[in-house]
Amino acid sequence: FQHPGFVEAGLKSAFEKALLDKRTVTIRNAKYVPISGDRLLTINVALDPILDAQRNVKYVLVMVEDATEQAHIAGKMQKAEKLSAMGLLATGVAYEMKLPINIMTVNLNFIEKNIDRDSPVMEYVRDVKEELVRMRNITNQLLNLARPDEEEKEVFDIARLVESHPVQILLKRMRESGFDVMTVVEPNTPMVKATMNQLVQVMLHLISNAEDAMPDKGKITVSVGRVEKEGEAMARITVTDTGMGIPEENLKKIFQPFFSTKGQKSTGLGLMVTYSIIENMGGVIGIRSRVGEGTEVRILLPTVKE
């Protein structure tokens, strides 16, 4: 009764209610931290008072079901359904936005070419063009929420992601600007069936996030290889930095749409889109971080035979 986890899960008040009412009391999906404090459980509890001949409570039978795994699976299904619905809506809006954005861009290019360079209007034209580029980036991110068709996928060696031209260009620029950049490609990297362009976009986003997290420079490590997960071979992509790290309260929100700590320069869609891309390819993504020490992002994808 003194254990905080017991009290906070509502078990103490439920026990007292069972004694008072002399009836079975049930609690479903209670969050319970055991005395060891090493994990958070989801439990279902039934407290069944057993009465003596005078109808006084002689015993209370307590039945506990560990529902942690079921709650985890249900949470993942709910998140997947929410993302699917959001992706359908977002891609529809993005498709509708592409045409007017393109038309406005063409018209602004025409205006820019036909006004005097010293005109005060030029500054406004350039500002609008910058915002249109931002809008185009947002629509492209939203379009990536859609689940790719099977014919869009290809089978390729996971090492190709690190060796791809866009990723190499970004890493080269970071080296030249003072970052300590390391790439690790383990032997016999596995094959995956996925959309190459989307995974390259994921890599670029994660590396750019690592760069932003190290304003005073630092070390970034990009590695690919193979790992066993529950007896199944998975392809692994890891991006690690020695930057500022992410506060624990933000780790819970990091995959939510429009959540960002970068201010106006960020759409807050990057990690949500990244999550959606990996989920659509049957993979998982996780983030481990400690403030002041850095962040590690790990992606696991199903492997296929060559």
Side-chain angles (χ1 to χ4, degrees):
F1 286 106
Q2 302 303 318
H3 172 50
F6 190 88
V7 176
E8 290 167 9
L11 299 180
K12 181 180 179 181
S13 58
F15 185 82
E16 292 168 348
K17 182 175 174 60
L19 292 179
L20 182 65
D21 296 348
K22 301 180 182 179
R23 293 181 180 178
T24 301
V25 177
T26 58
I27 302 176
R28 296 193 62 80
N29 295 321
K31 300 301 180 186
Y32 177 73
V33 179
I35 291 173
S36 61
D38 61 345
R39 62 200 184 282
L40 177 67
L41 300 176
T42 300
I43 57 174
N44 298 325
V45 182
L47 299 104
D48 192 11
I50 299 172
L51 309 181
D52 60 16
Q54 288 73 42
R55 291 193 54 78
N56 296 317
V57 178
K58 189 173 183 180
Y59 306 103
V60 175
L61 178 63
V62 182
M63 291 171 283
V64 182
E65 177 192 15
D66 184 352
T68 308
E69 186 62 26
Q70 296 96 308
H72 177 67
I73 293 169
K76 285 194 71 174
M77 288 178 63
Q78 188 178 20
K79 186 179 285 186
E81 288 171 4
K82 185 178 177 182
L83 272 173
S84 179
M86 187 182 295
L88 188 63
L89 173 64
T91 50
V93 172
Y95 274 120
E96 292 297 323
M97 287 176 64
K98 284 190 78 172
L99 182 59
I101 289 173
N102 289 337
I103 291 172
M104 285 188 284
T105 302
V106 170
N107 289 342
L108 279 170
N109 286 336
F110 177 81
I111 294 171
E112 187 177 27
K113 289 177 182 177
N114 288 276
I115 60 174
D116 187 25
R117 291 286 169 188
D118 298 327
S119 170
V121 178
M122 183 63 75
E123 183 179 349
Y124 292 100
V125 170
R126 287 172 179 162
D127 285 346
V128 175
K129 283 185 72 175
E130 285 181 10
E131 291 305 312
L132 283 173
V133 169
R134 187 166 176 268
M135 288 173 67
R136 183 180 284 115
N137 290 338
I138 293 173
T139 56
N140 287 338
Q141 287 181 322
L142 291 175
L143 288 170
N144 279 320
L145 287 172
R147 188 181 295 272
D149 294 330
E150 201 62 28
E151 57 265 25
E152 293 177 10
K153 296 180 180 179
E154 58 180 304
V155 176
F156 59 90
D157 191 318
I158 200 74
R160 281 179 56 191
L161 292 174
V162 180
E163 298 160 358
S164 67
H165 186 66
V167 171
Q168 286 296 317
I169 289 292
L170 177 56
L171 293 178
K172 181 183 177 187
R173 179 183 62 74
M174 290 180 66
R175 282 192 188 97
E176 291 172 348
S177 62
F179 287 90
D180 180 5
V181 177
M182 176 182 291
T183 57
V184 180
V185 178
E186 295 178 0
N188 303 316
T189 45
M191 309 290 285
V192 296
K193 186 176 184 181
T195 311
M196 179 78 171
N197 289 340
Q198 285 192 340
L199 283 182
V200 168
Q201 180 195 339
V202 166
M203 294 281 285
L204 293 174
H205 182 73
L206 295 180
I207 294 169
S208 296
N209 276 357
E211 181 180 13
D212 290 340
M214 297 185 287
D216 299 323
K217 314 303 182 194
K219 182 177 181 179
I220 178 170
T221 304
V222 180
S223 67
V224 292
R226 184 189 301 266
V227 70
E228 292 285 326
K229 182 177 184 289
E230 298 174 358
E232 183 181 355
M234 303 285 281
R236 175 190 53 77
I237 305 165
T238 308
V239 178
T240 308
D241 67 65
T242 58
M244 298 180 289
I246 304 167
E248 187 175 349
E249 62 271 17
N250 288 347
L251 278 174
K252 300 173 183 176
K253 310 173 192 173
I254 208 153
F255 292 115
Q256 294 178 7
F258 308 112
F259 176 78
S260 175
T261 57
K262 300 180 185 178
Q264 290 295 322
K265 71 174 184 174
S266 173
T267 63
L269 291 172
L271 279 174
M272 186 196 73
V273 171
T274 294
Y275 180 93
S276 179
I277 288 173
I278 301 305
E279 188 94 343
N280 287 342
M281 293 179 185
V284 292
I285 179 170
I287 297 182
R288 180 167 56 189
S289 186
R290 192 180 293 273
V291 174
E293 295 182 14
T295 300
E296 176 185 284
V297 183
R298 175 173 289 200
I299 294 168
L300 301 182
L301 293 169
T303 60
V304 295
K305 292 183 179 179
E306 188 172 358

